[in-house]
Amino acid sequence: MSEIRYHKAKRQFADGVYSTVHTVDVPVGRLKFEDLHPMGRYARQQDIARMHYARARARGEDRPHILTWAAMQTDRRADQMFPELNYQTDDGEQIISANSFITFVLRRLLAEGWLQLHEFIGDSYEWQVDIPAEQRDWRARAASVLSWLEESIQLDLYPNIERGSYRPRIFRSFDERRNFIRIGRCDFIRQFVQNHERQVAFNTSHFLHEHDDLVSHHSGYGDAIGLMVAENTILRPPIYRRGALLYDGSAWRIKSLSLEDIQLVLAGDIILSASADGSQRLHLNPAEPQPIALYTRAGGWSSGGRPLDRSPAAADRTDFVLVNRQALSWKRGGGLQIPQNGFVLSFQDGALPAQVAADLIDYAWVEYRFADENNGVQSAIQAGPILMRRGENVLGQSAIAEEFHPSQGAAVGVSPVNIDLGANSQRKARSALGIKPDGDLLLVVVDGCDPSFRTDMDSHGASLDELVGILQEAGAVDALNLSGDGASHLFVGGGLASLPSDRRGRRGVFYEGMLPSIGIVN
């Protein structure tokens, strides 16, 4: 097949419910993956603030306020941006990343009720703090961080304080866990398709978007999760064991991958791998202490049935938080919090050359390679779960083999924290990529809507099992689930073909969501 073919149809399920199904036939060599490069900061902040405002109202908050800050897309070192400050947290973590440090400072100011917003005559506004005099470190941190945020216009409150009141907005009893949002790398697909001539663009990877996703000061709304390969380069590693779609220049295949399938390359050409012998062997989520270990939030499920929130404490170890290709912080003695979108590298004293820790702190950068035959991969994206293999529905197998652990009560799960892998999962908007017998690709997008706000005109979506049925009927033999629900978007010929499921409490009104990365068909 050499041409792209788009088709839209109504699908009736066994119980008589109808849903709108979009399918796109994609020639084997025409698909690529790209990260979106955010454009307008203010529009992104306002949109995400309005979404979280609607969530707060749905939780029963009468007059909520949402505070957002737009993280730098090219991160900098905290000690370069804010020299001569103390970058250590209360539990001994030494923060390297400026984005992480700013988030840490703002959360503490909100938690303590120290932050204030003042209005002055002339419609000018100023952020101020009321911090006890004995808190010298925090007074210095707040002054430096707020000065930079105001100068760069990165901090925004929604809704703003009432004009003409001249009364300060004091953030006491503020829910900083749910109503303070750091905005990461994400943007509207529409921005991309308006500036680039692409025949098809659609959502791909899972990403952080719930308050349970943002428990760490290293995480931001919209940050992508999972393997991303572009132009033969691993931009993001496969943190959790999940399905990925891989292209080697001639054919696509679907494979389950985790950190055990990659090599971690440190300064000095030190290569750590789960398959290595001797001193450069790393262990993923080991039950017992090992000289070199990687810890993810999924590590606690096999032993304790709960996510692993922190790396194990040990006096003779040095730990680093790694997100994508950056080292964001470090700590002596272990016990380092693990972010949803990253992992902790932990090594015992003497396990690696003494210079390794110093280089990681100084350069704050790592690289990745595949540890096996996947070295020839040119392009890849990870999402999951795997839906089909050789024409058969494998949802039950995927639920056991892949690391998806939703939040349960007070226990924060592994992102995406609201996913349901059951065959009888709730109907919602879905997206999936299938591989056909001839090697070409099949993209399927099913429109959906929150049942609470559905109208007679809205599509009902599909369960994962129903999604498999659609893929099988369309001719796919292998298939991978992509991000869904409010993330499902399909643009064809520069126009929005699908109807996004985000309603924000309004019947008949839909909102396009922001995404970190997309699939594009040239």
Side-chain angles (χ1 to χ4, degrees):
M1 181 181 70
S2 60
E3 294 184 359
I4 299 165
R5 294 194 293 264
Y6 165 69
H7 182 67
K8 175 181 177 180
K10 290 286 186 181
R11 168 68 180 253
Q12 184 178 16
F13 297 115
D15 59 358
V17 166
Y18 284 89
S19 288
T20 302
V21 177
H22 310 262
T23 58
V24 183
D25 292 301
V26 181
V28 63
R30 303 279 288 277
L31 173 63
K32 291 186 177 181
F33 303 111
E34 285 193 19
D35 281 337
L36 291 175
H37 299 278
M39 304 288 283
R41 176 200 57 78
Y42 182 72
R44 293 163 59 233
Q45 283 187 273
Q46 286 289 295
D47 183 80
I48 291 172
R50 289 189 180 102
M51 178 178 62
H52 284 271
Y53 180 86
R55 291 180 179 181
R57 292 296 302 270
R59 291 194 301 267
E61 296 187 35
D62 183 28
R63 299 180 64 185
H65 280 82
I66 308 299
L67 187 66
T68 62
W69 91 275
M72 292 173 285
Q73 300 309 309
T74 302
D75 201 358
R76 297 166 61 186
R77 295 183 63 93
D79 56 11
Q80 292 176 346
M81 284 193 63
F82 310 111
E84 300 179 0
L85 291 182
N86 177 3
Y87 314 104
Q88 180 173 303
T89 67
D90 293 340
D91 65 356
E93 178 184 9
Q94 299 281 349
I95 299 178
I96 300 172
S97 156
N99 278 335
S100 299
F101 182 69
I102 293 168
T103 306
F104 165 70
V105 169
L106 288 173
R107 280 188 175 170
R108 180 64 180 272
L109 296 181
L110 290 167
E112 298 290 345
W114 290 339
L115 189 61
Q116 301 177 0
L117 179 60
H118 291 255
E119 179 195 15
F120 302 100
I121 294 175
D123 288 338
S124 62
Y125 297 88
E126 182 179 275
W127 293 96
Q128 298 181 7
V129 290
D130 183 14
I131 302 176
E134 65 271 17
Q135 297 281 358
R136 293 182 180 179
D137 275 352
W138 280 104
R139 291 169 70 91
R141 288 167 169 173
S144 295
V145 167
L146 288 177
S147 175
W148 181 82
L149 287 167
E150 282 198 301
E151 183 178 344
S152 57
I153 320 177
Q154 297 286 88
L155 191 62
D156 190 65
L157 180 68
Y158 178 87
N160 212 325
I161 60 177
E162 182 180 351
R163 289 181 180 274
S165 65
Y166 306 117
R167 292 179 299 181
R169 169 65 181 163
I170 301 173
F171 293 89
R172 293 199 178 101
S173 302
F174 186 88
D175 189 349
E176 75 277 359
R177 184 163 179 257
R178 295 191 287 190
N179 292 346
F180 166 64
I181 313 296
R182 163 180 159 179
I183 301 173
R185 191 188 187 96
C186 59
D187 205 351
F188 296 101
I189 299 183
R190 183 178 296 277
Q191 293 279 4
F192 178 88
V193 299
Q194 287 176 344
N195 289 284
H196 302 84
E197 188 175 347
R198 302 289 188 269
Q199 293 193 47
V200 178
F202 58 95
N203 57 291
T204 55
S205 59
H206 298 300
F207 59 94
L208 308 186
H209 61 92
E210 302 289 343
H211 66 265
D212 277 359
D213 292 328
L214 308 177
V215 292
S216 167
H217 42 261
H218 301 303
S219 305
Y221 179 97
D223 288 345
I225 309 163
L227 176 70
M228 169 78 164
V229 179
E231 304 297 334
N232 304 87
T233 301
I234 299 178
L235 302 179
R236 288 187 293 276
I239 300 170
Y240 307 113
R241 179 159 293 283
R242 294 174 180 174
L245 187 70
L246 313 170
Y247 182 62
D248 62 7
S250 60
W252 291 94
R253 68 182 185 277
I254 292 172
K255 184 176 181 179
S256 179
L257 298 171
S258 77
L259 286 170
E260 290 182 309
D261 299 296
I262 61 100
Q263 296 175 339
L264 179 59
V265 184
L266 306 179
D269 285 332
I270 294 175
I271 300 175
L272 308 180
S273 171
S275 59
D277 295 325
S279 63
Q280 294 189 342
R281 182 178 182 184
L282 58 81
H283 300 259
L284 178 60
N285 294 318
E288 299 295 332
Q290 299 293 335
I292 305 172
L294 304 182
Y295 294 100
T296 73
R297 286 186 58 80
W301 288 94
S302 60
S303 57
R306 294 174 65 88
L308 188 63
D309 186 58
R310 292 179 178 271
S311 61
D316 62 345
R317 302 188 75 91
T318 302
D319 289 9
F320 285 83
V321 167
L322 302 181
V323 173
N324 300 338
R325 294 187 288 179
Q326 272 188 275
L328 302 185
S329 71
W330 65 280
K331 182 183 177 185
R332 282 287 296 168
L336 194 53
Q337 187 181 39
I338 308 170
Q340 293 276 22
N341 54 326
F343 60 93
V344 168
L345 165 64
S346 175
F347 48 89
Q348 194 174 37
D349 292 349
L352 291 171
Q355 190 61 30
V356 168
D359 286 343
L360 265 175
I361 295 169
D362 288 343
Y363 302 120
W365 192 256
V366 299
E367 300 283 352
Y368 305 98
R369 300 175 189 165
F370 285 108
D372 52 22
E373 73 280 359
N374 293 313
N375 272 324
V377 170
Q378 298 179 5
S379 183
I381 200 75
Q382 188 176 39
I386 297 173
L387 301 173
M388 296 173 59
R389 288 190 185 277
R390 296 179 292 278
E392 297 297 322
N393 185 333
V394 296
L395 267 175
Q397 301 171 38
S398 297
I400 297 172
E402 297 187 59
E403 293 178 329
F404 288 99
H405 305 290
S407 292
Q408 299 177 3
V412 174
V414 173
S415 188
V417 295
N418 292 335
I419 197 166
D420 179 2
L421 299 189
N424 296 318
S425 57
Q426 180 184 356
R427 282 182 177 138
K428 56 179 65 175
R430 305 283 184 184
S431 300
L433 273 167
I435 304 174
K436 299 166 77 172
D438 61 3
D440 287 333
L441 296 171
L442 175 71
L443 171 65
V444 171
V445 176
V446 184
D447 290 349
C449 177
D450 185 332
S452 302
F453 308 110
R454 187 185 294 135
T455 69
D456 292 339
M457 303 298 292
D458 282 312
S459 170
H460 284 67
S463 68
L464 286 176
D465 203 41
E466 290 166 341
L467 181 61
V468 171
I470 294 169
L471 287 156
Q472 288 173 326
E473 291 182 13
V477 290
D478 298 288
L480 178 72
N481 183 59
L482 304 176
S483 57
D485 208 0
S488 284
H489 290 70
L490 173 64
F491 282 79
V492 178
L496 183 59
S498 64
L499 192 63
S501 69
D502 191 358
R503 296 295 184 272
R504 302 186 190 178
R506 301 176 184 271
R507 285 179 173 269
V509 179
F510 69 90
Y511 297 83
E512 293 180 38
M514 281 184 274
L515 308 172
S517 58
I518 57 173
I520 55 173
V521 182
N522 297 316

